[in-house]
Amino acid sequence: MKEWSVETLAVQAGYEPKEGESRVMPLVQSTTYAYPSADTLGDLFDLKIPGHIYTRISNPTVAVFEEKIRALEGGVAAVATASGQSATTLVIMTLCEAQDRILALSNLYGGTRNLLTHTAKKMGIEVDIVSPGAKRETVEALITERTRFILAETIGNPGVEVVDIEALAAIAHHNHIPLVVDNTFATPILCRPLEHGADLVIHSSSKYLDGHAVALGGVVVDGGSFPWDNGKFPAFVEPEPSYHGLSFTESFGNQAFAARARTLFIRDVGFVMNPMNAWLTNLGMETLALRMKRHSESALAIAKFLESHPAVEWVRYPGLHPDETVKKMLPSGASGVLAFGVRGGEAAAKKLADSLELFTLVTHVADVRSCVLHPATTTHRQLSEEEMKESGIQPNQLRLSVGIEDLQDLLKDLRQALQQI
Ligand SMILES: *Cc1c(COP(=O)(O)O)cnc(C)c1O
């Protein structure tokens, strides 16, 4: 389905019914699959033929979701996971071993930041942090012999800084390592990181892909372009003892990453997406293009309104005064999340959040319902003061996730709440 636009792929990619089959993707709520002979099953276990063995490794409904996001991102394969966090963990496990390092941008989602600086550390993996605006020399100076990948977010959560994926990819490739981009906030409707040189794309599908805040999930899309046999990733090339000495680059070519991620780490850890969540996420994705357009238009209008309001100190929304990077990365809209600071510090920010009626206080973003969050006392409260500063979080800062409700109603709600601070 490569020739169709993302708007069409979001609706139709991943599932084509054969004669008499259901038009809508079926929900295969089964852990196991039947085969006619022991030899066939043996070949499946040896990865000689493709097919589903057990839902901890793959499932037909999850496979439809994987194929849809693969088509939307323009990759060669995708591996779905139980959550966005497990998608990032899957990338770490597939690319790193003890004593390796990760170079991460400082404005990453707080949960990712915790995963990298605390949990990965326990596995012997160290993280180096660089700010999204750093110069090339600064980034390169932090790349060591043991650095295995660079991790960035297209649009940072919650600071909404947009990164130049092309520039980062050039640095990564110059140093023979892949660039991994978390594209959760942009979605493939607004940005396709692989087209800008990224090698792997991560999503928390719990956000816009699902879009309705009903299904937790994640996915890693394999761009198929990174040369895993370049000497830095011997485990991709050398015989794998848990598969009778199979070499992933030899057996799976440009899908070596996805194959290795699924058949070693999804198999061993079991953090799969469940079929029901894949089914719900696929349903949500059918309206992804429509929703992203609406989220982007309303968020821009709200950013303009806030910028002109006397109680507001600053507004950050990539689409508000787009620089060259934003124009290049997000040509058709800047998504639904914006950050702003109010006059009166933390107390005023909290009062505003409490006074809003349509924007509810929830620890979520990126669904059809508008919501508000005070990062300093919620998602980022585990960070030290210095980490908080590094992540670009201020005490008077609020994050809005603009939903698809009527724009005039949302503006009315903001106006009344701003009057109360
Ligand atoms: C929410 C989020 C995650 C984590 O995803 P979960 O599905 O909640 O595990 C990762 N990255 C970004 C950018 C997110 O917004």
Side-chain angles (χ1 to χ4, degrees), residues 258-337:
R260 193 162 179 271
R262 182 189 303 282
T263 62
L264 296 187
F265 306 110
I266 291 277
R267 178 198 65 178
D268 290 356
V269 184
F271 43 13
V272 282
M273 178 179 280
N274 73 57
M276 184 71 193
N277 280 3
W279 192 85
L280 287 166
T281 305
N282 181 68
L283 194 61
M285 284 174 78
E286 292 178 1
T287 56
L288 182 64
L290 283 177
R291 287 187 283 108
M292 292 320 291
K293 187 169 187 287
R294 172 79 164 212
H295 285 299
S296 300
E297 286 169 1
S298 293
L300 178 58
I302 286 173
K304 285 181 178 163
F305 161 76
L306 290 172
E307 191 179 42
S308 67
H309 198 286
V312 174
E313 203 172 271
W314 55 269
V315 181
R316 204 156 55 223
Y317 177 65
L320 190 55
H321 303 289
D323 60 15
E324 289 312 308
T325 301
V326 173
K327 284 182 195 157
K328 188 164 66 170
M329 293 299 132
L330 302 168
S332 57
S335 196
V337 183

Side-chain angles (χ1 to χ4, degrees), residues 135-154:
K135 288 201 177 69
R136 180 171 183 140
E137 306 83 82
T138 315
V139 182
E140 292 215 306
L142 286 166
I143 300 176
T144 74
E145 259 311 295
R146 296 304 301 248
T147 306
R148 285 296 171 268
F149 67 96
I150 300 180
L151 179 60
E153 285 173 12
T154 314

Side-chain angles (χ1 to χ4, degrees), residues 367-383:
D367 70 78
V368 291
R369 283 160 290 265
S370 292
C371 61
V372 60
L373 183 89
H374 185 235
T377 53
T378 56
T379 49
H380 287 65
R381 74 179 297 143
Q382 264 81 335
L383 300 189

Side-chain angles (χ1 to χ4, degrees), residues 68-254:
K68 178 170 280 188
I69 188 72
R70 180 210 66 75
L72 282 166
E73 289 288 5
V76 296
V79 184
T81 56
S83 64
Q85 288 300 94
S86 41
T88 307
T89 307
L90 182 63
V91 169
I92 297 172
M93 294 186 84
T94 311
L95 297 184
C96 298
E97 294 183 6
Q99 277 150 44
D100 283 343
R101 306 184 79 85
I102 299 163
L103 180 56
L105 267 66
S106 60
N107 63 331
L108 295 179
Y109 169 64
T112 307
R113 185 77 186 245
N114 278 334
L115 168 62
L116 293 174
T117 47
H118 301 293
T119 302
K121 196 183 172 77
K122 285 189 192 142
M123 304 192 282
I125 297 158
E126 297 286 335
V127 60
D128 298 295
I129 306 276
V130 69
S131 92
K135 288 201 177 69
R136 180 171 183 140
E137 306 83 82
T138 315
V139 182
E140 292 215 306
L142 286 166
I143 300 176
T144 74
E145 259 311 295
R146 296 304 301 248
T147 306
R148 285 296 171 268
F149 67 96
I150 300 180
L151 179 60
E153 285 173 12
T154 314
I155 307 174
N157 175 6
V160 299
E161 310 86 348
V162 176
V163 299
D164 186 338
I165 296 172
E166 287 172 16
L168 273 180
I171 297 172
H173 298 159
H174 181 69
N175 290 278
H176 314 291
I177 53 174
L179 171 65
V180 182
V181 173
D182 181 332
N183 198 32
T184 299
F185 273 17
T187 83
I189 303 300
L190 303 177
C191 179
R192 284 172 297 287
L194 300 176
E195 289 176 4
H196 295 288
D199 301 286
L200 301 169
V201 174
I202 292 174
H203 281 279
S204 162
S205 65
S206 328
K207 312 294 166 57
Y208 286 119
L209 298 187
D210 158 21
H212 299 76
V214 294
L216 206 67
V219 68
V220 185
V221 181
D222 183 350
S225 54
F226 193 82
W228 302 109
D229 55 1
N230 71 355
K232 288 235 169 192
F233 299 90
F236 279 71
V237 182
E238 287 165 6
E240 170 57 43
S242 69
Y243 277 111
H244 307 305
L246 160 154
S247 152
F248 280 96
T249 45
E250 238 170 64
S251 294
F252 295 98
N254 70 350

